[in-house]
Amino acid sequence: MIPDMVTPAPKLAEGSVGTVDTQFLSLPNPVQLDCGQALHPVRVAYETYGTLAAARDNVILVCHALSGDAHAAGVARTPPEESTRDGFGAADRDRASRKGLGWWDGMIGPGKAFDTDRFYVVSTNLLGGCRGTTGPSSLNPATGTPYGSDFPVITVADMVRTQRAFLDELGIERLAAVAGGSLGGMQGFEWGILYPGQVDAIVAIASTHALQPQGVAWNAIARSAIMSDLAWQGGHYYGTGAKPDAGMGIARMVGHMTYLSAQSVGDKFARRLQGGGDIRYTLAEPEFEIESYLRHQADSFVRRFDANTYLYTSRALTYFDLARQYGRGSLTEALRGVSARTLLIAFSSDWLYPPAGSQALADALGALGKAVEYHVIDAPYGHDCFLLEEARQTPMIQQFLARQPT
């Protein structure tokens, strides 16, 4: 049975899906993981928007990136302490409604890119998460205490197997599309390869077939910052009264800067001093506006996100490599079994997931005679473009999905 999760909210902006409650579902069977372990029990946090067609053939699965959650659209009935709305300048964009808005609210709803007048959109918190789905902060049934670093190391493929098992419980056999940006796009490709007869289309935005070495390095630096914090305690900090906020804050600052471009940071902050006057000759306090901004990013992030989830998710996305996993080193061979139509959107200033990665996917799919569309949007905001350039992505996605039979 699929519960009704959305309450109409006529006072909200046009196109809103309304007020939403996150739901939870426990999987009846263990999830088999790439590391060789079987994970059980597994609970999945999820939200749905729109109406499921009688034929159950209008489902779009939306997949989130590293720091997202199941709340993708609408307004949370109980807003969290800190917003999950990422993207450069999100606070200025969202203003008073920010904390309750879903992380992709501008893309999901009536008349939006993922039109809930036509599609039934499902969003889950990925495996290993800290927003309701089983992860390192969940109780280990073998000990009765949180897993911590005893949680098994997971892959993007494991996340997708969990989604498949979850959808089985909802009675959904086939997806009209899988969509997401960044790590969300990676999940889309795993769907296309692992379940080629069960997904009709992939929408991958600011994503790639494998993170480039520079991206792997930045993720390693972020993880090292967390694990070097003595409060990490080998990953078993739950219930101790201490957690690795310092290391986690540094990881967030590092990660956040990889999502931006030099131009966007320069345009917003330049070299303006925080106090507006002269330098204050201090080591401990922010002197520049950009330093104060990063400190704010760190402080807000540690209040809403679990450090171990960051570690496990970061490791999973660095392991992701379609050619290695499925093609014996060949991306073309890895994609040979994909039957889904694919839409690729990249951004000119994204140096973390550069357009070259999407181009390589387009070339490999094209060489195989697969249906693929590829667009590069010229925009200055870096990787964050996939959360900011909604107006320019929307017609591309709408036109692509309009050719999708439902």
Side-chain angles (χ1 to χ4, degrees):
M1 178 180 177
I2 299 175
D4 181 10
M5 299 175 54
V6 179
T7 301
K11 293 184 179 179
L12 297 175
E14 184 179 358
S16 173
V17 300
T19 303
V20 184
D21 294 306
T22 301
Q23 303 289 314
F24 305 91
L25 186 150
S26 293
L27 301 181
N29 301 311
V31 175
Q32 300 296 322
L33 305 176
D34 280 338
C35 68
Q37 296 188 42
L39 188 64
H40 189 75
V42 174
R43 185 180 77 160
V44 178
Y46 71 102
E47 293 184 2
T48 66
Y49 324 102
T51 301
L52 182 63
R56 295 177 177 252
D57 59 355
N58 67 330
V59 181
I60 292 180
L61 177 67
V62 166
C63 305
H64 68 74
L66 189 152
S67 61
D69 60 10
H71 181 45
V75 177
R77 190 178 304 279
T78 304
E81 179 184 352
E82 297 293 333
S83 174
T84 59
R85 293 270 289 177
D86 283 332
F88 202 34
D92 295 336
R93 176 190 60 195
D94 300 333
R95 301 189 184 278
S97 61
R98 180 173 184 244
K99 286 188 177 181
L101 282 177
W103 57 267
W104 226 7
D105 184 73
M107 299 284 280
I108 301 169
K112 295 182 180 179
F114 304 105
D115 187 353
T116 52
D117 286 337
R118 180 185 180 198
F119 294 106
Y120 184 69
V121 180
V122 179
S123 174
T124 70
N125 184 210
L126 50 73
L127 182 67
C130 57
R131 305 282 290 185
T133 293
T134 298
S137 59
S138 303
L139 289 183
N140 181 347
T143 64
T145 60
Y147 281 101
S149 55
D150 292 332
F151 193 75
V153 175
I154 55 176
T155 65
V156 179
D158 293 331
M159 298 171 184
V160 168
R161 292 188 192 99
T162 303
Q163 293 164 350
R164 177 63 275 174
F166 160 76
L167 291 170
D168 285 343
E169 293 307 303
L170 295 191
I172 296 170
E173 298 180 359
R174 190 179 187 88
L175 295 171
V178 180
S182 191
L183 171 59
M186 294 177 175
Q187 293 166 66
F189 294 121
E190 290 280 8
W191 265 97
I193 291 172
L194 293 175
Y195 307 105
Q198 300 173 31
V199 56
D200 295 329
I202 299 167
V203 179
I205 305 167
S207 195
T208 187
H209 56 91
L211 198 62
Q212 296 300 304
Q214 189 176 29
V216 174
W218 285 117
N219 273 273
I221 293 168
R223 292 195 306 274
S224 293
I226 294 171
M227 293 186 290
S228 297
D229 187 331
L230 293 179
W232 184 57
Q233 303 173 67
H236 297 285
Y237 50 85
Y238 306 107
T240 67
K243 55 192 181 79
D245 286 350
M248 181 68 159
I250 294 170
R252 174 59 171 177
M253 288 191 276
V254 169
H256 190 69
M257 287 307 299
T258 67
Y259 305 150
L260 308 178
S261 70
Q263 179 183 340
S264 63
V265 174
D267 288 346
K268 185 172 180 66
F269 298 106
R271 285 184 53 85
R272 289 190 297 274
L273 293 169
Q274 175 66 11
D278 203 352
I279 58 174
R280 295 173 292 168
Y281 300 97
T282 175
L283 292 176
E285 296 303 316
E287 284 277 32
F288 296 91
E289 286 186 4
I290 181 61
E291 295 175 339
S292 179
Y293 171 78
L294 287 174
R295 181 169 293 190
H296 168 73
Q297 287 290 323
D299 290 346
S300 61
F301 192 68
V302 300
R303 289 195 292 268
R304 74 170 176 89
F305 209 77
D306 179 59
N308 279 334
T309 284
Y310 193 103
L311 294 174
Y312 278 85
T313 308
S314 169
R315 174 52 85 194
L317 66 86
T318 59
Y319 279 156
F320 178 81
D321 184 338
L322 296 181
R324 177 187 61 80
Q325 294 169 241
Y326 304 111
R328 297 183 179 181
S330 167
L331 180 59
T332 301
E333 286 305 310
L335 298 172
R336 186 171 295 280
V338 172
S339 60
R341 299 184 305 116
T342 303
L343 172 64
L344 302 164
I345 300 175
F347 300 92
S348 61
S349 60
D350 186 353
W351 58 271
L352 184 62
Y353 290 73
S358 293
Q359 182 69 66
L361 284 159
D363 290 345
L365 289 166
L368 291 165
K370 311 289 185 181
V372 59
E373 295 180 26
Y374 173 46
H375 303 273
V376 179
I377 295 176
D378 186 16
Y381 307 111
H383 188 55
D384 261 0
C385 282
F386 88 90
L387 295 169
L388 299 173
E389 289 288 345
E390 295 171 341
R392 298 171 70 185
Q393 297 172 67
T394 293
M396 297 175 183
I397 296 169
Q398 288 175 328
Q399 291 165 21
F400 176 76
L401 293 177
R403 295 187 289 275
Q404 175 82 14
T406 58

